[in-house]
Amino acid sequence: MAGILLESGVVLVPLACAAVYIVVTSNKLLTAISFAAAIVVLIVVRLRYHYSSGARSDVIVRSSSQASTPPITATASGKDESSKQAKYGKPKKNKSKKKVADLADRPAPIRQRSAGSDNEAGEFDEIVQDARNHCDIDDETIERCGSLLADTVTPESTKYDSELYGSALAFDHRCFYINGHPTWILAADFDYWRIPIHLPSLAQGQRNVIGASDDVVKDVWRRVLLQYKATGFNAVRIRFHWGFHSPTKEKYDFSANRNVGLLLTLCEDLGILVIACIGPYIGDDVQGGGFPFWLIQRDHIRLRHLWRSGLKIWDDRFAAAQAEWYDQIIPMLVGHEVVTKNARGHGCIVLLQLENHLNSRTSLNLPLALQDETRLLARMARERIIRVPLATNNLCWPNDFNSFGSKAWAAAEKKLRAYRIIKGPYYPDVSAFSVPDIDKTPVDIDGVARVTKGDNVPMVALELSGLRSAGGNKNLSDQIESALSQGLSAFSIPAFFKLANWGNIASTSLTANSGGNDETSAVGEDGVFPADSRSARLVLHIVRAFELQAASSDTVDSRPWISRTKHPKIRGVSIPMLPKDAVQVRRQWEHAPSADSTDLDCNGHEKTCLITYVDGRSLEDAKKELGFRFALADAPVSSKSGSFALTGSLGPRKRGIFVSNITVGEGKGDEKLLLVAASKEIYARISIDHGRAEVWMCAEESVQAGQLFFHGECQVAGHAEVEIVDIDHAKNQKFSFVIPKPGVGVANVTSQSGVSVHIVLVDQQALDTLVVGYGSYNRDSQMGLESGAHTAAAWGIDGMVINTGGNSVELPLSSLSEGKQGFVISQSRPKVTPETFDFAKNDGANSTFSSSPFIWQLSAISNADGDVDAVAHSEAQRNKMTTFSVQNLEQRITKWGSLPWKLLPTLSDLETMDQINIMSWQRDLGMFAYQATDVGFNASHVLYRCQVHLKPQHITSSQIRLQLNARHRCTVWINGHNMSGHETFHGSENTTSLKSSIIDALKHPGSAQGPDRWGGTVTYDVTQFMLLSEPDAEEGALNEIVIVVESYGMGTQAYGLNDARTPRGLIAAYWHGFNLIGEDHDDTEIHDQAHDSRTEQLKTRWEICGVDVTQMPQPFNSSGFPDELEQDGWVRALEKPLVHNGWSTRVNVDVDAGVQWWRWQISASNAASKFRDEPMYLRIVGRATAFVWVNGVLLAKHRADAEESRVLLWGGLLGSSKSALLPPTLTSEVVVMMYGWAKDADISSGIIAKDKMSNRNISVELLLTSSR
């Protein structure tokens, strides 16, 4: 930074002198020119610093007094990982780690409190010592050596080695090639740290031990990942959470639900690809952006190099902290890359994402990030033996590509590089970007290539967001369809599946609501798909069915067409009733030409497949019949009418994906069946009979009308009619025009060579539940990558999943299967899990599919003897809620006096505290509190207590007032009287840029993102609740004030904002109306108002308590109340049932009693085990704040201003029965903590007396229900 300041001074000082002279001479034109020149110089200097921040290529951090030792790492086996890291070839020069300096040898002059007992002084010393430990980073020395990063780390030095690893993983501007096969990377975010895993130790009242077997963790993850795969995703983006793995400084945990190796191995077993995002910053949806709390505490480290919001200065300490995280996480990934052959024969990681949203820009599109940030991360990744391509997600479409500012600065940067004023830019292997709405702002591949300098690099959107709203992503299917039609090679959808946002990982999102914990995800925690998500699932099924042909495609107009083909092929598609840009046609690329033909792939298939994307949202009627015109390759280019036409409709989506030139069957030439064109969507494509036949799933005519056009004379039987035709542009050729009949059924199309296509026509209900089995990307297996991309298909019951091989089906054990028929398309009889279900051939009861040997129907549930017991099943379903019993409803109250209070320093201590430079103190008059973050109180609540003794002679005013400034929600009790409280919080709806975030934060105190302006003070009149002693008493009457402050989460360091250390807790407290100086001072001193307002604070006793999350093995699993695991003090509570079915009760929350707790046990009978996936919700109705635990896991909270909340306790289609709760056959414990404000009490007296307060209760209803 010294260089940039010096450079700025050398240039700006003469300009400033010239400007002063010009102003004095009153030359307005020269004045304007001078100011413009100054601005230009500032911009040039800023760009120079952006491209070269002065960072060195080697950064070493050592303790000033001790040798460095590696951090302690906990793994699944419980062994130290330091020896494991060495074998991955980590550079010796960077092996040094940060270590806490020995504070015992340092002089620590601490001034004792001028008043108070020795015990008080001891408490103060403890606070100071704790704070000193938080600043150990100051005692570490930083050594910088070597040349500049900008000179040594170039795109070529960190480039992916395609020559060495290209056979396993390659890419171009069309797609990725895995083992030579064209592949889309269709991903959704899988945040494993959002899934609550049962922690037995917490249920038993212990904080420091966590236990969960790998089998339990694997079972939970497996069920969720199978749902991802059944939806159509072939990949997941996994964001590795630094703070989740490092709760305490120098300690890392990779065991149990933090077992990264277990997760990656599971992905390999399931055939799921992985985009690994290792941060360290992972997103703005988690507290602190994913940084560990112990790192955020150290306010001398500039997180993400941010000095102030919008201004970065390189920080070697932060770079060293990043290196420590990479030293821990990267060895867990090495060996699981797709280019690596491991014990399972293949890896799963295809991309390694560095950081996230790093290159935020100002409104003028000036870059805020430092190019050296990405350079350093890329170098660290390559030095730690990462072999897959490196990717970033730093840009946003279209603002960073096509806006006027981006183009202007791109031109300016080009000129500056030409004159060698700035260094050359750094680009990783793949420069991915975020797209807020790709449907409204189409992506231009040329525009992307111009900015990223990647002419032959795939377009990758690592955050394809779309428009979110309550109830799900309303246009998610449109986003996916638009992305593929525009040529994106890979994308990831954030929060597609809602995984329980438990604990304080993202505090503001922890709030429950009427539809579950989060309504903005596409699929809720219970796994039920809303309508648009079901449409998105169908889109994924279609494109995955033809991935081999469609992934490596170009737009038809982008290159010339090969006019001659061996067989009649379609070269163009048009729909006259729609605008031209509503029909996007893409053609397969000749990626593997054989020796005897330029138009055959390696299997002898002609590479001429067309994928037509049709957007008919401009149509008023979704079922309106459209005319599809198809032109054959041999047809004259001037022919506007095409070669032939088909009719069809688009269905409920008002969009369609149609294929042409598709071959079926093994062999060469005439031995295959050719689908020339289709106006009907094909949702599933299963190969059977050793490749001699395929099964296609289509919608029946009332859902989506259309026809299929095959080459040759085909025999058609079943639910379709055929017409043999010939056309002008294909002489001596015959074609079969197949027209499906109305309704559900199966149509069989057989060519003269015996190759068959079985078309299964199903209704909308079947399509809504359709799931498909996909093959693996194992390099040793071609399963799922030949002509039949799917291995099996199932429909009829929500929550069904199919294993990789297609020979096993898993069903949910819930009432969702009641009275519904399930069907599976499979070559052989599939195995069913659980064993209480089974599949059999159709016995004639349902004749629709009875003649099809490849369709298996779900049989009725059988009892232990194997006999059908459908009656008992229905009876159990009607009584499913009564199979669970609730026992031992108990309650207790938090006792303020028993909490572990610590004394806070006062104004007299501020000078000493500043001398040792430990905390970010505020010098506001009368302020006692410091940041909750400074002492690790980053859970939801921080508690404060003030004790003051008052006599009548201390009173100086007719009113005693208490002023409080807190973040975010404050509740006040004065001598046991609830004073209600206030909330200082503003959740902005427009914080997607630096400028909007800062402006919004300056308008409102308590902003969720960005700087928090110093405001929000609220005054409480506490006169009638304060106690006074007799005038002649030796000591004044004791007054106790308790303040509970609920934090809605920390800042995230997003969009160039330096807000992770924004104050939380009680920021300031002021007393007015009394004077504690007393008779020990003369009248002049007493009436000195300035002196009085300061010294009256000194005899008030302020204390703080909470939970130090930096000392917890799971820092996100706490409400902040130290007694949340208390096992004593529970008494029997009276149940007040509200409904006859199920369990319910009404509880009264006494607002004056403080914080109250309720708990009960849920036991399940053996019959309930048949419905272990039955969702169970806790419904909370009432105007009280409530936090919910299940077996020690903090699941969700209910806001006092919410009418109703529903918390998913267990069950659901995502298989969460083993996550938060024990298996339902055992006993589980539910704990609910509640408190409220007096203004929300159901009954309150008109006049409140000091000695009596009654009927100040908030009625809250608690109900267990299985309905959403």
Side-chain angles (χ1 to χ4, degrees):
M1 188 60 183
I4 188 175
L5 292 177
L6 178 63
E7 186 174 327
S8 302
V10 170
V11 177
L12 292 180
V13 170
L15 284 177
C17 296
V20 172
Y21 172 78
I22 294 170
V23 170
V24 171
T25 59
S26 301
N27 193 323
K28 295 182 179 180
L29 177 60
L30 289 179
T31 301
I33 295 175
S34 298
F35 279 112
I39 293 174
V40 170
V41 170
L42 284 175
I43 292 173
V44 171
V45 173
R46 180 68 189 90
L47 288 175
R48 286 201 60 177
Y49 191 62
H50 165 72
Y51 286 109
S52 180
S53 62
R56 299 288 174 175
S57 58
D58 296 294
V59 179
I60 304 176
V61 182
R62 289 192 178 95
S63 173
S64 59
S65 60
Q66 297 184 10
S68 177
T69 58
I72 301 172
T73 303
T75 62
S77 61
K79 298 180 180 179
D80 195 303
E81 280 289 303
S82 58
S83 61
K84 178 180 178 181
Q85 296 174 12
K87 77 174 187 177
Y88 294 108
K90 190 174 55 178
K92 294 182 179 180
K93 210 168 192 178
N94 287 340
K95 288 177 67 175
S96 299
K97 299 290 181 297
K98 295 178 289 181
K99 184 174 177 61
V100 179
D102 187 1
L103 299 177
D105 297 334
R106 291 189 312 185
I110 304 295
R111 186 174 65 182
Q112 302 294 331
R113 292 176 59 87
S114 58
S117 64
D118 293 338
N119 183 47
E120 292 177 356
E123 292 180 6
F124 177 54
D125 286 341
E126 181 182 354
I127 293 175
V128 173
Q129 187 64 26
D130 289 343
R132 291 171 63 87
N133 290 338
H134 293 162
C135 288
D136 64 286
I137 194 69
D138 272 350
D139 299 298
E140 296 169 351
T141 59
I142 307 295
E143 296 182 9
R144 296 192 302 172
C145 58
S147 57
L148 291 174
L149 273 174
D151 296 329
T152 58
V153 181
T154 62
E156 289 74 21
S157 65
T158 60
K159 186 178 180 181
Y160 170 66
D161 193 343
S162 58
E163 293 184 2
L164 184 60
Y165 304 114
S167 61
L169 175 63
F171 55 83
D172 58 20
H173 70 275
R174 303 172 185 86
C175 66
F176 292 83
Y177 301 90
I178 298 180
N179 302 322
H181 297 280
T183 306
W184 277 309
I185 308 298
L186 310 176
D189 284 6
F190 175 71
D191 298 331
Y192 60 98
W193 32 267
R194 289 194 189 275
I195 304 178
I197 304 294
H198 172 60
L199 311 178
S201 59
L202 295 182
Q204 298 169 6
Q206 304 176 26
R207 282 194 189 277
N208 298 323
V209 181
I210 290 182
S213 68
D214 286 348
D215 291 338
V216 173
V217 173
K218 185 176 181 180
D219 182 74
V220 174
W221 286 345
R222 176 182 172 277
R223 183 66 184 273
V224 179
L225 288 172
L226 281 176
Q227 287 288 349
Y228 276 73
K229 192 170 183 179
T231 303
F233 296 110
N234 64 354
V236 291
R237 185 177 73 141
I238 301 178
R239 299 183 296 167
F240 295 97
H241 195 302
W242 186 1
F244 186 66
H245 290 280
S246 182
T248 305
K249 188 177 186 295
E250 293 193 320
K251 290 185 180 180
Y252 286 84
D253 189 354
F254 294 98
S255 61
N257 58 329
R258 297 179 171 103
N259 194 335
V260 172
L262 178 66
L263 175 59
L264 295 176
T265 299
L266 181 61
C267 290
E268 291 167 354
D269 293 338
L270 298 177
I272 297 177
L273 302 174
V274 172
I275 301 172
C277 175
I278 59 175
Y281 173 82
I282 60 174
D284 62 351
D285 57 332
V286 292
Q287 286 208 63
F291 294 109
F293 288 134
W294 59 261
L295 183 65
I296 296 175
Q297 279 184 329
R298 288 152 177 78
D299 57 357
H300 298 290
I301 295 180
R302 293 187 287 271
L303 296 179
R304 305 187 84 189
H305 304 283
L306 281 163
W307 179 56
R308 294 288 187 269
S309 292
L311 180 60
K312 289 189 174 186
I313 300 177
W314 184 265
D315 187 356
D316 286 328
R317 294 183 179 89
F318 177 66
Q322 290 177 304
E324 178 183 306
W325 166 237
Y326 275 29
D327 284 339
Q328 296 296 321
I329 187 62
I330 288 182
M332 302 294 170
L333 309 182
V334 173
H336 291 283
E337 299 163 289
V338 76
V339 299
T340 305
K341 194 174 181 68
N342 53 30
R344 288 158 304 282
H346 62 287
C348 59
I349 299 176
V350 291
L351 286 176
L352 185 80
Q353 180 185 339
L354 306 172
E355 251 273 357
N356 197 25
H357 296 294
L358 182 62
N359 197 24
S360 299
R361 292 175 177 260
T362 65
S363 57
L364 297 177
N365 277 87
L366 271 175
L368 296 177
L370 309 176
Q371 280 280 348
D372 286 349
E373 293 183 73
T374 307
R375 284 191 176 98
L376 179 64
L377 296 178
R379 173 167 182 159
M380 289 193 299
R382 289 296 184 218
E383 286 179 343
R384 287 154 182 79
I385 323 299
I386 285 293
R387 289 170 276 247
V388 294
L390 303 178
T392 57
N393 185 35
N394 297 337
L395 303 173
C396 182
W397 179 271
N399 294 335
D400 295 336
F401 293 87
N402 289 338
S403 64
F404 173 78
S406 63
K407 293 181 178 179
W409 292 125
E413 290 171 0
K414 184 177 180 181
K415 290 291 185 181
L416 293 174
R417 283 195 298 272
Y419 290 103
R420 298 184 180 180
I421 298 177
I422 63 176
K423 299 285 185 180
Y426 175 82
Y427 297 105
D429 300 307
V430 176
S431 295
F433 49 89
S434 300
V435 188
D437 189 355
I438 197 172
D439 191 37
K440 292 185 177 179
T441 56
V443 174
D444 176 22
I445 189 171
D446 294 329
V448 172
R450 182 180 65 251
V451 174
T452 63
K453 303 300 183 289
D455 295 332
N456 200 34
V457 175
M459 290 197 301
V460 178
L462 287 180
E463 291 185 6
L464 186 66
S465 301
L467 300 178
R468 297 187 179 278
S469 60
N473 195 327
K474 296 299 184 183
N475 69 339
L476 180 61
S477 61
D478 292 334
Q479 295 291 313
I480 296 175
E481 207 158 342
S482 296
L484 296 175
S485 66
Q486 294 170 29
L488 261 67
S489 305
F491 62 75
S492 182
I493 300 175
F496 182 84
F497 282 100
K498 171 57 189 168
L499 305 176
N501 199 14
W502 63 283
N504 299 296
I505 286 183
S507 187
T508 53
S509 299
L510 174 65
T511 304
N513 51 47
S514 59
N517 281 9
D518 191 353
E519 287 188 339
T520 60
S521 297
V523 181
E525 285 179 276
D526 54 8
V528 176
F529 281 66
D532 185 67
S533 299
R534 296 178 189 275
S535 298
R537 182 166 58 183
L538 288 178
V539 172
L540 290 171
H541 289 334
I542 297 172
V543 297
R544 290 290 306 280
F546 302 96
E547 182 178 26
L548 182 64
Q549 296 84 10
S552 59
S553 62
D554 288 311
T555 57
V556 168
D557 296 334
S558 64
R559 59 189 176 84
W561 174 262
I562 300 175
S563 60
R564 289 280 179 183
T565 57
K566 186 176 181 180
H567 298 93
K569 298 294 181 71
I570 301 298
R571 74 151 186 249
V573 184
S574 63
I575 302 178
M577 297 182 64
L578 294 177
K580 185 177 181 180
D581 58 357
V583 181
Q584 300 289 333
V585 184
R586 301 185 64 87
R587 182 198 166 198
Q588 182 183 5
W589 173 61
E590 300 88 355
H591 62 278
S594 60
D596 57 346
S597 175
T598 59
D599 201 34
L600 297 177
D601 65 17
C602 54
N603 293 320
H605 301 165
E606 290 183 317
K607 302 180 302 299
T608 53
C609 172
L610 292 186
I611 304 294
T612 304
Y613 299 88
V614 180
D615 184 356
R617 288 174 293 176
S618 59
L619 301 173
E620 295 182 0
D621 185 6
K623 296 184 179 181
K624 185 175 183 179
E625 187 177 85
L626 301 176
F628 292 72
R629 292 182 179 178
F630 297 92
L632 289 176
D634 291 340
V637 178
S638 60
S639 176
K640 297 183 179 180
S641 61
S643 302
F644 63 93
L646 302 178
T647 60
S649 62
L650 297 180
R653 292 196 339 264
K654 288 189 176 181
R655 301 189 72 155
I657 303 176
F658 306 96
V659 295
S660 306
N661 306 336
I662 297 296
T663 56
V664 178
E666 300 297 331
K668 296 183 178 181
D670 297 332
E671 297 180 8
K672 297 186 294 293
L673 176 61
L674 171 64
L675 174 67
V676 179
S679 60
K680 203 169 190 64
E681 289 185 306
I682 302 173
Y683 302 107
R685 185 184 181 198
I686 302 99
S687 178
I688 61 175
D689 194 17
H690 305 287
R692 292 285 297 171
E694 288 187 14
V695 182
W696 295 353
M697 286 197 66
C698 302
E700 56 104 355
E701 289 295 286
S702 64
V703 177
Q704 193 253 317
Q707 298 97 38
L708 300 99
F709 201 70
F710 290 92
H711 176 247
E713 298 185 37
C714 299
Q715 297 180 358
V716 177
H719 207 72
E721 298 176 349
V722 64
E723 181 179 350
I724 307 300
V725 298
D726 54 10
I727 55 180
D728 294 337
H729 300 150
K731 298 180 179 180
N732 302 321
Q733 302 281 347
K734 295 294 183 180
F735 298 88
S736 298
F737 185 50
V738 178
I739 307 171
K741 298 178 181 178
V744 176
V746 179
N748 302 306
V749 180
T750 306
S751 68
Q752 294 180 349
S753 61
V755 178
S756 301
V757 171
H758 307 281
I759 305 171
V760 180
L761 302 168
V762 296
D763 56 16
Q764 185 63 50
Q765 182 181 5
L767 294 177
D768 288 341
T769 57
L770 177 64
V771 294
V772 176
Y774 294 94
S776 172
Y777 286 93
N778 188 337
R779 64 171 64 182
D780 298 325
S781 172
Q782 303 302 323
M783 181 186 303
L785 293 175
E786 298 301 330
S787 59
H790 301 155
T791 59
W795 69 93
I797 299 176
D798 266 323
M800 299 172 69
V801 293
I802 306 171
N803 72 348
T804 301
N807 55 8
S808 178
V809 178
E810 294 186 21
L811 298 168
L813 290 174
S814 69
S815 60
L816 294 172
S817 59
E818 180 182 8
K820 295 182 179 178
Q821 291 181 331
F823 298 90
V824 171
I825 297 176
S826 179
Q827 175 78 49
S828 58
R829 176 172 177 164
K831 180 181 177 181
V832 182
T833 304
E835 296 179 355
T836 51
F837 294 82
D838 197 5
F839 281 99
K841 292 310 303 166
N842 291 285
D843 55 5
N846 187 334
S847 59
T848 304
F849 304 122
S850 60
S851 60
S852 302
F854 47 83
I855 299 180
W856 302 82
Q857 182 178 344
L858 175 66
S859 67
I861 294 180
S862 301
N863 58 23
D865 298 328
D867 298 329
V868 175
D869 195 8
V871 176
H873 168 57
S874 300
E875 183 66 22
Q877 291 289 1
R878 286 193 294 269
N879 299 304
K880 58 183 178 291
M881 291 303 300
T882 62
T883 58
F884 296 92
S885 60
V886 176
Q887 307 94 16
N888 304 326
L889 178 64
E890 298 175 312
Q891 71 177 107
R892 68 174 178 87
I893 298 175
T894 292
K895 298 179 180 179
W896 303 125
S898 64
L899 298 180
W901 297 98
K902 289 186 177 181
L903 192 64
L904 276 175
T906 61
L907 285 172
S908 62
D909 303 307
L910 288 180
E911 182 179 355
T912 301
M913 306 296 278
D914 286 340
Q915 286 177 355
I916 63 176
N917 193 21
I918 61 172
M919 298 178 187
S920 52
W921 286 85
Q922 305 295 334
R923 291 186 173 274
D924 281 16
L925 179 64
M927 192 209 77
F928 291 87
Y930 52 86
Q931 276 214 54
T933 303
D934 288 327
V935 286
F937 292 170
N938 295 107
S940 296
H941 292 89
V942 185
L943 288 71
Y944 298 86
R945 182 173 70 172
C946 177
Q947 293 180 332
V948 56
H949 296 267
L950 289 181
K951 297 180 181 180
Q953 53 266 39
H954 294 156
I955 305 303
T956 61
S957 174
S958 60
Q959 288 185 334
I960 300 177
R961 292 172 292 126
L962 175 62
Q963 288 185 322
L964 300 174
N965 192 358
R967 298 295 184 273
H968 294 103
R969 193 173 190 269
C970 179
T971 306
V972 183
W973 287 268
I974 307 289
N975 291 324
H977 298 266
N978 188 290
M979 299 291 296
S980 294
H982 69 277
E983 183 181 69
T984 306
F985 176 74
H986 176 70
S988 176
E989 298 179 356
N990 184 27
T991 56
T992 58
S993 67
L994 174 68
K995 179 181 177 181
S996 61
S997 299
I998 292 179
I999 293 177
D1000 192 75
L1002 293 176
K1003 290 181 180 179
H1004 308 279
S1007 180
Q1009 288 182 327
D1012 190 357
R1013 71 178 181 85
W1014 198 249
T1017 301
V1018 175
T1019 301
Y1020 293 84
D1021 184 355
V1022 299
T1023 307
Q1024 61 176 325
F1025 303 113
M1026 299 297 286
L1027 303 178
L1028 302 177
S1029 68
E1030 296 298 328
D1032 56 351
E1034 293 185 4
E1035 188 176 28
L1038 176 62
N1039 292 269
E1040 183 177 76
I1041 296 89
V1042 176
I1043 301 170
V1044 174
V1045 181
E1046 180 186 356
S1047 169
Y1048 292 161
M1050 304 171 62
T1052 63
Q1053 295 292 106
Y1055 314 119
L1057 300 170
N1058 188 27
D1059 59 355
R1061 298 187 180 100
T1062 303
R1064 294 293 181 263
L1066 186 59
I1067 300 175
Y1070 309 85
W1071 278 111
H1072 300 279
F1074 63 84
N1075 188 308
L1076 296 180
I1077 299 176
E1079 57 275 5
D1080 296 335
H1081 299 76
D1082 57 29
D1083 292 342
T1084 303
E1085 191 175 22
I1086 292 177
H1087 294 292
D1088 183 355
Q1089 295 298 320
H1091 178 74
D1092 173 63
S1093 61
R1094 293 173 182 269
T1095 58
E1096 69 182 10
Q1097 318 294 331
L1098 299 182
K1099 292 187 178 181
T1100 58
R1101 177 187 175 93
W1102 282 92
E1103 298 167 304
I1104 186 174
C1105 77
V1107 175
D1108 186 353
V1109 298
T1110 63
Q1111 303 304 313
M1112 296 178 60
Q1114 184 46 274
F1116 305 102
N1117 195 57
S1118 175
S1119 65
F1121 285 92
D1123 66 333
E1124 61 191 358
L1125 302 179
E1126 182 63 48
Q1127 298 298 310
D1128 298 329
W1130 292 94
V1131 297
R1132 189 79 176 182
L1134 179 64
E1135 292 189 26
K1136 301 176 182 179
L1138 302 174
V1139 295
H1140 297 291
N1141 296 326
W1143 179 86
S1144 62
T1145 187
R1146 177 182 286 110
V1147 298
N1148 291 324
V1149 180
D1150 188 343
V1151 297
D1152 297 310
V1155 177
Q1156 293 134 83
W1157 304 75
W1158 282 263
R1159 74 177 180 184
W1160 62 89
Q1161 284 76 42
I1162 301 178
S1163 298
S1165 64
N1166 291 331
S1169 63
K1170 294 183 178 181
F1171 312 107
R1172 69 182 184 192
D1173 294 328
E1174 185 72 25
M1176 180 68 72
Y1177 295 93
L1178 174 63
R1179 179 184 172 201
I1180 305 175
V1181 182
R1183 297 187 63 81
T1185 297
F1187 279 61
V1188 181
W1189 287 259
V1190 178
N1191 287 339
V1193 177
L1194 176 58
L1195 281 187
K1197 76 175 182 181
H1198 165 76
R1199 290 181 57 91
D1201 55 359
E1203 295 182 1
E1204 176 183 338
S1205 295
R1206 298 195 182 190
V1207 181
L1208 180 66
L1209 300 183
W1210 73 75
L1213 302 183
L1214 293 183
S1216 58
S1217 59
K1218 292 184 180 179
S1219 55
L1221 279 182
L1222 293 172
T1225 54
L1226 303 177
T1227 299
S1228 298
E1229 183 180 77
V1230 180
V1231 178
V1232 180
M1233 178 270 291
M1234 288 186 281
Y1235 65 92
W1237 288 353
K1239 71 180 186 66
D1240 295 325
D1242 299 327
I1243 304 175
S1244 60
S1245 55
I1247 300 177
I1248 303 175
K1250 297 170 64 173
D1251 58 346
K1252 185 178 181 181
M1253 189 72 67
S1254 60
N1255 298 326
R1256 301 238 297 177
N1257 296 324
I1258 298 176
S1259 178
V1260 178
E1261 298 177 1
L1262 303 175
L1263 304 93
L1264 291 177
T1265 177
S1266 63
S1267 61
R1268 189 177 185 186

